[in-house]
Amino acid sequence: MAFRARREALRDGWPGGTLYRVRTYVKIEDELTRKDVERLSDIYPPLDAATGSDLDALGWPAKPSDLAARYAILLSPLDFSDYSKDEPLRLLDVGCGLGLLLEYLTANSLLDRVNYTGVDLVDSILKEARRRWPGQRFDQRDIRDEPYEKDEFDYSIVCGVFTVKHGNTYHETRAFAQDTLKTVWPSVKLGLAFNAMSKHVDWERDDLFHWPLDEIMAFCKRDLSRHVTFRLDYGLWEAATLVRKEPLPRLSKVPLNW
């Protein structure tokens, strides 16, 4: 059997809780799975055993309009008028679940401008996504171990993946988020966007991942890009982070007498 290295985050003793990473292996049903995601198959049951709406099945405690607002914000750096059926946007949906982003794109008359790829870890969820969307691409992989090619996509969104800790510690969840984003970054030409729970809330929940904006910015500048926009203005208790490879274009005119 071929073994691939898995990483487990451990705290060291100095203030701030900086992590040392050591290699470890976890064997689940004859397949190696990283410790930080090994619980997902238990959390997400087969869809034929689930009841309620799609959001209920995926554990989203939100209204459909909330999810639509998330997608709108995460996609906001894109000008879809730049794309067409012949020259579509190459979009990577990390943690795609049932492919609900495809439904959003369809409802907003954008799907014909998009070459979509969804990637997720949970087999039962992906089987249902493929059943619903037989013409779309869905990959089952941990992209930290099987990264995509350089510039394979134009843009990526990671919606709802970094909001819940799934039984992991804060430091394990932060390492999972950072490692995932660092892996996605080389595969996109324009940038990426993700959301996490805000620290600026009335109270924090122990099961959610509240990632401080200063930490996010320091990580982005160090490992992704300094061209970052934070959005906390769409009515939810979370922050969307939009990271660009290049700065925003400067469209305003400069006074001639300056």
Side-chain angles (χ1 to χ4, degrees), residues 45-227:
L47 266 293
D48 56 8
T51 58
S53 69
D54 289 341
L55 296 186
D56 292 332
L58 295 174
W60 281 84
K63 298 177 294 185
S65 59
D66 291 345
L67 182 55
R70 290 185 177 97
Y71 285 147
I73 291 294
L74 295 175
L75 294 171
S76 62
L78 300 169
D79 184 350
F80 280 91
S81 67
D82 292 338
Y83 304 96
S84 65
K85 184 177 181 179
D86 294 329
E87 297 184 6
L89 170 76
R90 299 172 301 160
L91 179 62
L92 177 64
D93 182 12
V94 178
C96 63
L98 295 172
L100 299 182
L101 176 57
L102 289 166
E103 297 182 7
Y104 173 85
L105 294 170
T106 300
N108 288 275
S109 302
L110 298 172
L111 186 57
D112 62 347
R113 300 171 182 263
V114 173
N115 182 350
Y116 174 89
T117 297
V119 61
D120 209 306
L121 293 164
V122 183
D123 180 64
S124 61
I125 297 291
L126 284 173
K127 284 180 178 176
E128 176 63 13
R130 292 182 181 121
R131 186 192 69 79
R132 297 182 182 195
W133 298 95
Q136 300 293 339
R137 176 183 173 186
F138 292 96
D139 297 336
Q140 184 176 11
R141 64 167 81 179
D142 189 326
I143 57 176
R144 295 170 295 175
D145 299 315
E146 299 179 73
Y148 289 102
E149 296 294 328
K150 177 177 170 56
D151 293 340
E152 186 169 347
F153 306 100
D154 295 309
Y155 191 76
S156 176
I157 71 168
V158 192
C159 184
V161 177
F162 310 139
T163 53
V164 182
K165 291 190 286 187
H166 295 305
N168 298 304
T169 67
Y170 173 86
H171 297 282
E172 289 168 339
T173 307
R174 183 177 64 182
F176 163 64
Q178 292 178 342
D179 288 349
T180 299
L181 294 166
K182 284 190 290 185
T183 303
V184 171
W185 188 247
S187 69
V188 293
K189 289 188 67 175
L190 301 178
L192 57 78
F194 61 92
N195 60 334
M197 300 307 299
S198 174
K199 293 286 289 185
H200 300 279
V201 295
D202 293 337
W203 68 86
E204 293 187 19
R205 280 174 43 182
D206 291 339
D207 60 322
L208 300 182
F209 179 51
H210 296 266
W211 199 0
L213 298 181
D214 282 351
E215 281 193 10
I216 297 174
M217 185 64 224
F219 159 71
C220 289
K221 182 178 182 298
R222 183 184 69 240
D223 293 309
L224 306 182
S225 167
R226 67 185 179 91
H227 308 307

